[in-house]
Structure formats: structure tokens, C-alpha cells
Amino acid sequence: SSVAAATTPSATPRVAGALPARYGIVLGIAAVAVLLLGISVWTFHRGGNPVRAECSAGRLSAWDDGDRLLWTHDLPQQGRAPERRVDARVADLDGDGASEALAFFVSTPPLPLPDRAYDELVCLSSAGRVLWHHRPQRTLRFSGRSFDGPWYLSDILVVAQPARRTSEVWLTVNHRAFWPAFVERVDSRGQASLAFVNSGSLYALNAVPDASGAHVLVGGRNEEYGAAA
């Protein structure tokens, strides 16, 4: 008698090293996510150079040339917007092609020392990252009397330095007793140097450019002569 050989359906051969289909789907979704993230980052960097900034209600905001909001930065909790209006500044301080944003806020100390409030300048990168802070801290002496602050800022001016392809920030700084006052120049790293001292208040800055850079003009009042200066 003959015995019939039993046959069973054979399974589909599996290729060594191949991943199951479900893993392929997961990898595909991950690849799409990475691609979308890369596109969003590229778009941000492509159009992420601020051309305008405003500081109000304890927040600094920056916009690009299409008037699109790039970022916002909350000032420290103890900070408040200054009562006097000084617009934020946008400039390429270090000459790398990306603009930094500058603004100042008033830091209010806790009671019982409200009169020790001081102004502080903050510089942020084109991406909204804090680069440095600057708080004017100097002691001036007139007729045997010392003035050590607190100091407040009344004007900000960005002055280009063509020879170095950078810019400087000039500040008028006043004592809260209304005098004396001084002018500081701050470089792209936040390092300040004293440029001028006045026995009175200072209100405004302007620049007259020339071949070597610019002449900075300062407006205010001189108490020694009791007149505008």
C-alpha cells in the first residue's frame, strides 16, 4: 500500500534583519516629525531677525520685517515698565548680521526701600535669549557730597562704529535727586565706560555721523550755570 505524504502550507520566508511592518510605520512617523521640526527651525532662522521691539507691561516683544511676532520676554517679577516712555532699540551690536534687542526696566525693591528703585538695561539676542544685563553703578562727588544712586536712564542711543563693524550703546544716566548725571558707553558685551559727567540732569542723546564714526551730542541742564547745556 502506498502512504500519501501530508503537506502543510509553508510560512512566508522571513528575510534576516528585516523589521516588522509596525516598526516601519513608527519610523516613518518619526521621520516626518523630524522633517517638520527642521522646516520650522529653518523658517524661524530664515525670517527671525528682529527689526522692531517694544517694552511694555513688563514684557519685551520683537517683530520681524513682515511685522510677525518673533518672541516675547518677561522681565523679572520685581521689574515694572518705566513711567517715562523710552522705546526699545534694535541693532546689530556685534556685527554678526543678527540684530540684538535692547530695553530697560525699573527694578522695584521690597518695602520699606521704594526709593532705592533703579533702572537696568537688558540685551537679548535675535532669538530672544538674554545676553547681558547692565545696571549703572557709580559714585560721583560734588562739593564734598557723594551721590551713589539710585540711577535712572533717560535716553538710549545706538552709535555705529564702521571701522570695527560693530555698534555701541550710549546712555544718559540721572540721579533720582535730579542731579548729577553722567553718560555711559556700553559695548556689545555689556561692558560700560564713563564718557561724560554733568552737574545737572541729562535728557537726550543724538549723533552726527562722520567718516570716523559719529560725534555724540548730549542735551540737559547744568546747575552750576543754571541754564540748558
Side-chain angles (χ1 to χ4, degrees):
S1 62
S2 61
V3 179
T7 60
T8 58
S10 59
T12 303
R14 187 171 179 178
V15 179
L19 294 174
R22 64 178 180 274
Y23 290 112
I25 295 174
V26 173
L27 289 176
I29 294 174
V32 171
V34 171
L35 178 62
L36 292 176
L37 178 62
I39 292 174
S40 63
V41 171
W42 176 79
T43 301
F44 173 81
H45 285 290
R46 181 173 61 101
N49 201 32
V51 298
R52 179 173 66 90
E54 292 183 2
C55 183
S56 63
R59 175 173 293 179
L60 176 62
S61 304
W63 290 263
D64 66 9
D65 56 2
D67 207 31
R68 294 179 291 266
L69 179 65
L70 296 175
W71 47 261
T72 60
H73 174 75
D74 291 329
L75 299 174
Q77 290 185 354
Q78 76 273 20
R80 60 178 173 84
E83 296 176 0
R84 56 203 170 279
R85 174 71 174 175
V86 176
D87 292 333
R89 303 288 191 263
V90 172
D92 181 9
L93 299 181
D94 54 11
D96 65 352
S99 296
E100 286 76 39
L102 296 155
F104 73 83
F105 63 92
V106 181
S107 179
T108 305
L111 294 175
L113 299 171
D115 61 332
R116 300 302 295 180
Y118 58 83
D119 285 3
E120 187 166 339
L121 181 69
V122 60
C123 176
L124 284 82
S125 71
S126 59
R129 178 174 59 88
V130 175
L131 298 176
W132 46 262
H133 288 262
H134 172 61
R135 183 178 71 172
Q137 298 184 77
R138 297 187 184 276
T139 299
L140 303 181
R141 293 179 173 84
F142 285 87
S143 300
R145 181 181 175 185
S146 295
F147 298 85
D148 60 353
W151 304 99
Y152 73 88
L153 305 175
S154 57
D155 201 8
I156 305 173
L157 177 69
V158 178
V159 179
Q161 302 292 320
R164 298 196 297 266
R165 297 183 180 180
T166 60
S167 295
E168 293 179 331
V169 183
W170 288 64
L171 308 171
T172 49
V173 187
N174 291 266
H175 193 274
R176 294 197 180 277
F178 302 109
W179 75 280
F182 58 90
V183 176
E184 283 187 332
R185 52 195 300 181
V186 186
D187 65 17
S188 60
R189 299 169 298 172
Q191 303 298 312
S193 58
L194 185 64
F196 177 70
V197 175
N198 183 47
S199 60
S201 52
L202 296 173
Y203 303 119
L205 290 163
N206 206 344
V208 179
D210 63 13
S212 61
H215 296 283
V216 176
L217 307 179
V218 186
R221 176 181 173 85
N222 188 292
E223 297 298 334
E224 183 177 358
Y225 299 103

